[in-house]
Amino acid sequence: MMIIPDGRKVLVGGCLLLVGLAAFAQPQLPRSVLDLSYKVGKPAFPIAAYRNIGVAEFRSMVSKAFQKSGFSFIAVDAQKSKSTVFEFKLDVDPKLRLVPTVLVSADELLDGRGKCNPCFLRFADIKNAQDFKALPWMAQYELSALLVPAIDNAYSTIESVGREHLDPSFRFNYKRQWEGEQNLFGNSFAGISLSSFKESIVRAYRSAGFIPIESEAADKASEFALAFSFPVDPAKDGGVVYKVRIRSQYDAEGHCYPCELTEYHDPYQQLPPAGFSGVLSRATLESRFTAARDAAYQSLRTDLERYLRPGSVFSVPPKQAPLGSPRPPPAPIAVT
């Protein structure tokens, strides 16, 4: 066992605490749009097991199901003592820049008559997932909305067609992955210029009682924040700092494609001193802030809903905690 001197213990402990605080303060975001809609990965257990079906019929069942769902068959690689791998490509508009390719593996254990005894069907891997994740978000959104439901539908067809040969000791273990459009960061807008987008945001918050704090962003910036102050005591200077973050991509005309708006607000920030005259204002701060925040979001919905990215809906994020709440302790560090 290694003994760490007391001074080094303090240093190591301090470093671990800082890491824990950083991890708490910076929640992990999904790495890509694809991660939002296809989370199944590659489980060790198969989806299903089939018996008393000829291997040719089994392969035809898999192939036809994916072709019915919009895929083109590329090849099937069957090697002795190895998994059989089917390869399909999704038929998409060439303008989408990438053709999604999926691999579906099966372990074919055959009896003397060449029938499955059993044949295990497994989950689909997206062969070019890393290329997929390197695309701009909008292309990822469009491809995900085509690819993931197509995979779901293919497995649904297999479940229906192959029910007669399903091994009774196995259930068909596939959960649909597509749960509708989800945005990578926040509310997602397209077809509006960045300047008009910013103006709408500032107007919505100003009309709700927030005071804009001067902030600059370069033309076609990929990420920046807009800051506001919400008065603690309307008769005095000083207030709660409130921010929204904008992450942007642009089309050929320079319009959002898309721009995504996320609340970037710390409810645990230290509030300015109330003072004797500000006690009443402090007592109503949370209700006033909540009402103003709701009003700002309603203005944003009214002004920007027509620019929502196709397939997405406008949402209001839940509030984290009342203003001025004690900051929760950092998550404990797992010790192994």
Side-chain angles (χ1 to χ4, degrees):
M1 180 177 70
M2 182 177 67
I3 299 174
I4 302 176
D6 290 344
R8 288 179 61 192
K9 284 183 181 178
V10 173
L11 178 60
V12 171
C15 291
L16 290 174
L17 178 60
L18 288 173
V19 170
L21 287 171
F24 179 82
Q26 298 177 355
Q28 296 298 308
L29 292 169
R31 292 172 299 166
S32 74
V33 171
L34 187 59
D35 293 328
L36 296 173
S37 53
Y38 198 74
K39 313 177 188 71
V40 80
K42 191 175 181 182
F45 291 102
I47 288 173
Y50 294 91
R51 292 185 184 273
N52 297 318
I53 179 174
V55 66
E57 186 181 352
F58 171 74
R59 293 179 185 177
S60 176
M61 175 182 71
V62 175
S63 180
K64 286 181 178 178
F66 274 84
Q67 291 178 74
K68 181 181 178 182
S69 192
F71 290 87
S72 290
F73 175 77
I74 297 177
V76 58
D77 182 11
Q79 299 182 35
K80 192 173 182 179
S81 302
K82 292 186 178 181
S83 294
T84 296
V85 179
F86 302 83
E87 184 171 357
F88 304 95
K89 66 177 181 179
L90 185 65
D91 298 325
V92 297
D93 188 330
K95 289 186 291 187
L96 290 177
R97 296 175 53 182
L98 181 144
V99 177
T101 306
V102 300
L103 303 176
V104 181
S105 61
D107 300 318
E108 298 173 341
L109 307 178
L110 309 180
D111 61 19
R113 301 171 297 164
K115 291 194 173 184
C116 292
N117 189 35
C119 291
F120 293 105
L121 177 67
R122 298 190 178 276
F123 287 83
D125 283 327
I126 300 170
K127 181 180 179 180
N128 49 355
Q130 292 309 310
D131 295 334
F132 196 122
K133 294 176 181 182
L135 293 173
W137 312 331
M138 201 66 166
Q140 291 188 47
Y141 283 133
E142 292 171 352
L143 282 170
S144 292
L146 296 172
L147 175 61
V148 181
I151 294 174
D152 286 344
N153 292 339
Y155 278 111
S156 178
T157 298
I158 293 172
E159 180 180 17
S160 176
V161 172
R163 190 172 289 124
E164 177 186 349
H165 298 286
L166 190 66
D167 187 326
S169 63
F170 273 75
R171 63 185 179 89
F172 196 89
N173 185 31
Y174 183 84
K175 180 181 178 182
R176 292 187 70 88
Q177 296 295 293
W178 184 252
E179 297 177 349
E181 291 283 358
Q182 300 178 60
N183 295 327
L184 188 59
F185 298 116
N187 284 310
S188 187
F189 304 92
I192 182 173
S193 69
L194 181 61
S195 59
S196 296
F197 187 48
K198 287 168 55 181
E199 288 170 6
S200 294
I201 296 167
V202 172
R203 182 167 57 248
Y205 280 96
R206 181 187 282 122
S207 65
F210 290 81
I211 300 169
I213 298 174
E214 193 68 30
S215 58
E216 294 292 334
D219 291 342
K220 294 190 178 181
S222 61
E223 183 176 331
F224 62 93
L226 295 176
F228 302 86
S229 175
F230 185 78
V232 172
D233 181 348
K236 295 182 178 180
D237 293 335
V240 176
V241 177
Y242 179 89
K243 295 181 181 179
V244 294
R245 178 177 288 174
I246 299 171
R247 296 177 175 89
S248 304
Q249 294 181 155
Y250 305 95
D251 62 15
E253 285 72 43
H255 293 155
C256 292
Y257 197 72
C259 294
E260 301 203 344
L261 178 66
T262 312
E263 188 173 52
Y264 185 48
H265 165 57
D266 179 13
Y268 309 110
Q269 63 187 278
Q270 185 175 354
L271 302 179
F276 181 76
S277 63
V279 171
L280 181 59
S281 295
R282 178 64 58 86
T284 61
L285 174 61
E286 174 61 23
S287 60
R288 289 187 290 110
F289 175 79
T290 299
R293 176 180 179 269
D294 290 347
Y297 268 106
Q298 184 55 47
S299 294
L300 288 172
R301 185 195 302 269
T302 301
D303 204 18
L304 296 173
E305 198 162 31
R306 66 186 182 278
Y307 295 108
L308 283 172
R309 181 177 63 80
S312 68
V313 296
F314 189 90
S315 64
V316 178
K319 285 187 61 181
Q320 299 177 61
L323 283 174
S325 297
R327 190 174 297 279
I333 299 173
V335 178
T336 58

